[in-house]
Amino acid sequence: MNSYLKEYILEIKVLAPVFIGSGKTIGKKEYLYDRRANKVTLFNMKKLYQGLNRLRLLPNYEKFLMSDRGDLFNFFKDYNITRKEYESWIQYEAKMGDKGLITKNTHDIQTFIKDPYGLPYVPGSSLKGALRTIIQCGFYLQNPNQAKKMAQQVKNAPMERRNRYLIKEDRQMDVDSVHRPLHNDTNISNQVNDMLKGLIVGDSVPIAKENLCVCQKIDLLVNGQTKPMPLLRECIQPGVTIQFPITMDTSVCKITGREILERIRQFYKNYQTEFMSKFKKAPKTLGNSTTFFLGGGAGYVSKTCSYAIMHGTDAVGTVGKIINATLPPKVQKQHGHFDDRKKGVSPHTLKITRYDGREKQMGAVCVTKFKSLSAAAPK
């Protein structure tokens, strides 16, 4: 192996349910919810159709799909389809994260991404995206003058179409934080000078299906009230460890493993101070100092540098303005982010879920190992 390529294993522990969406949803007429066992059974739909066809129930099922009543559990009950009959149709089963999640108003389950063998995994791009944000935040936390300059650019940014708002500023954050002169090109604004091209994060080791659970999206308000949403997600359950292969091309990537860990610590400390502390009933993450947030549904603050370049009331007002500007005009008043300064935090909801009777901050994970395959692990 070339001497400038350094290989590592990064291991994280899941502290709260983690969701990486596949882009697919399963409707309540396609999965079986066992209320007594509090689990869902998901089927190979081809085998389900073939099985119902053998039982001469396919026309009945098609009518059932077109109706607006019932779920698959009731359909099976109505036609006396027993476990023995549908056992061979099962693809896998997943526990519910908590009791009472599936109601008449809860229809779909958003599924977790899986490999060609049907096993869940976390794409390397998801972890690298999280690390990129953390590295950028760390840069601004270490360089307050640069942070003030960027904050002023964000505040003065002209209002544009939602899909173009702050594009220039985001680009400048890349240049500030992760661009360095490379390949004899001194114009660091060129994409070729993005040193994180040299941080190569592979997909995680496949995760056993038994480690999946189904959790509900819940918003925690500043006053401590919770607002459950009729949306279920298939997640990796807490307690699971996930490993990723990482290769650093040190001729390009000028950040070391030790520095990455330090920036994670800086990010989490800032997250607690600027955002999490504003929610009196915020669930504790119960991780170590290298806690961060991974995947979908983890919230705005975990995926932006807003609270690294701005702080306190100034940040709250500006973030409220940013979120409001990126919402469709029809729902801006309903969401009320223009008024976040009065609430003392923006966004004014903390994204949580419930697992085994306890509230958890969605997507929380922490580093348990960052091991060099050729030297001692970075501290």
Side-chain angles (χ1 to χ4, degrees), residues 100-156:
L101 298 186
I102 294 183
T103 67
K104 291 181 180 179
N105 296 322
T106 308
H107 295 175
D108 297 342
I109 297 175
Q110 295 181 340
T111 61
F112 199 93
I113 191 168
K114 299 178 183 70
D115 67 16
Y117 301 98
L119 293 175
Y121 74 102
V122 176
S125 57
S126 295
L127 177 60
K128 183 171 179 178
L131 292 178
R132 186 181 188 89
T133 299
I134 287 166
I135 289 167
Q136 289 182 313
C137 286
F139 170 81
Y140 286 112
L141 291 171
Q142 292 174 5
N143 297 274
N145 289 334
Q146 284 283 88
K148 287 179 184 178
K149 183 179 177 182
M150 177 49 61
Q152 202 58 47
Q153 283 185 244
V154 169
K155 291 175 190 176
N156 295 337

Side-chain angles (χ1 to χ4, degrees), residues 9-15 127 239-244 261 264-265 286-292 364-372 377-379:
I9 291 294
L10 175 64
E11 180 182 273
I12 60 173
K13 180 181 179 181
V14 177
L15 305 172
L127 177 60
V240 175
T241 57
I242 307 174
Q243 289 191 342
F244 299 83
L261 291 179
I264 293 174
R265 293 186 184 100
L286 302 177
N288 59 32
S289 62
T290 59
T291 295
F292 64 102
V365 300
C366 67
V367 178
T368 51
K369 184 189 296 181
F370 198 172
K371 181 180 180 182
S372 171
K379 302 294 184 186

